[in-house]
Amino acid sequence: MSDIATPRVLFVPGYGNSGPRHWQTLWEQARPDAARAELGNWDRPKRAGWVARLDAAISASPAPVILVAHSLGCITAAWWVAQHGQSYGWPIAGALLVAPPDCEREEGCRFDTFRGLPNVFLPFPSIVVASRSDPYAEFSWASFLARSWGSFLVDAGDCGHINADSGIGDWPFGARLLDRLIFAAQDRERPHVESRQHCAAL
């Protein structure tokens, strides 16, 4: 995809980065339009550093980006919006926000610097995908975030943390949600996505 008007895909992993079996990594390997935000300190995340590195990755793109964030990467994206803001559609054209964790539910946790969520309405099309069996957040929390952010909420069913351990492979349903965002960003007709619950397979 060489057209400057075509959005690029920017992967934003969560805690520990995304390993070789994670759907983010599999998608990145399959897409010529993709890059990964190198947030650093993957096992000792700090909000200020992660937001700054995400900003650098966004700024380095010659075209609008579609964020594909997982777990703590979703919260990092929200903090980026709170700190930097943007006009509608630039530099972020859309976001797929998968399995956002609840950083608020215990004091002194490893995500402590991400506590105190900013009050932001995301100025781009966004989809929050949440699992009913995520050990890092209740589904009600993800639903609250989706409403707060102005995002469309997708119920993934019993899918754990929607990661490599969930057994979803390259997660084809998620890839179709990404296609939906890319088409929306390009003002094209959106491909159909079924409304029923999805997890490992279609």
Side-chain angles (χ1 to χ4, degrees):
M1 296 187 178
S2 59
D3 184 356
I4 195 168
T6 301
R8 271 57 173 180
V9 175
L10 182 63
F11 292 100
V12 189
Y15 178 83
N17 204 349
S18 294
R21 296 188 301 111
H22 197 288
W23 55 268
Q24 280 189 318
T25 301
L26 298 176
W27 290 8
E28 182 183 1
Q29 292 169 346
R31 301 191 67 101
D33 61 341
R36 178 175 302 213
E38 293 297 336
L39 304 180
N41 295 317
W42 293 109
D43 297 324
R44 297 182 302 277
K46 299 296 182 184
R47 188 185 78 203
W50 273 30
V51 172
R53 291 183 179 93
L54 177 58
D55 182 57
I58 292 169
S59 299
S61 176
V65 299
I66 301 286
L67 297 182
V68 178
H70 180 254
S71 192
L72 199 59
C74 302
I75 309 302
T76 304
W79 275 107
W80 182 91
V81 172
Q83 294 183 17
H84 296 276
Q86 68 165 53
S87 299
Y88 191 86
W90 181 275
I92 299 176
L96 181 63
L97 306 167
V98 181
D102 183 355
C103 298
E104 309 296 307
R105 64 184 183 181
E106 62 179 283
E107 298 283 349
C109 71
R110 57 191 170 182
F111 308 145
D112 197 52
T113 62
F114 292 83
R115 289 171 54 83
L117 283 175
N119 182 21
V120 294
F121 190 89
L122 303 183
F124 41 76
S126 57
I127 298 172
V128 169
V129 186
S131 166
R132 295 277 178 174
S133 54
D134 191 335
Y136 297 104
E138 299 289 339
F139 186 82
S140 59
W141 172 255
S143 179
F144 163 75
L145 287 181
R147 291 193 304 271
S148 298
W149 292 344
S151 305
F152 182 77
L153 176 65
V154 171
D155 184 345
D158 292 323
C159 218
H161 197 44
I162 317 182
N163 56 10
D165 292 336
S166 299
I168 56 178
D170 62 356
W171 195 32
F173 177 67
R176 298 207 333 247
L177 290 175
L178 174 57
D179 287 341
R180 178 177 181 169
L181 281 169
I182 292 173
F183 273 73
Q186 295 174 314
D187 292 324
R188 297 178 181 176
E189 181 180 355
R190 299 182 183 187
H192 175 67
V193 177
E194 292 88 340
S195 59
R196 62 186 177 87
Q197 293 182 358
H198 291 267
C199 185
L202 286 184

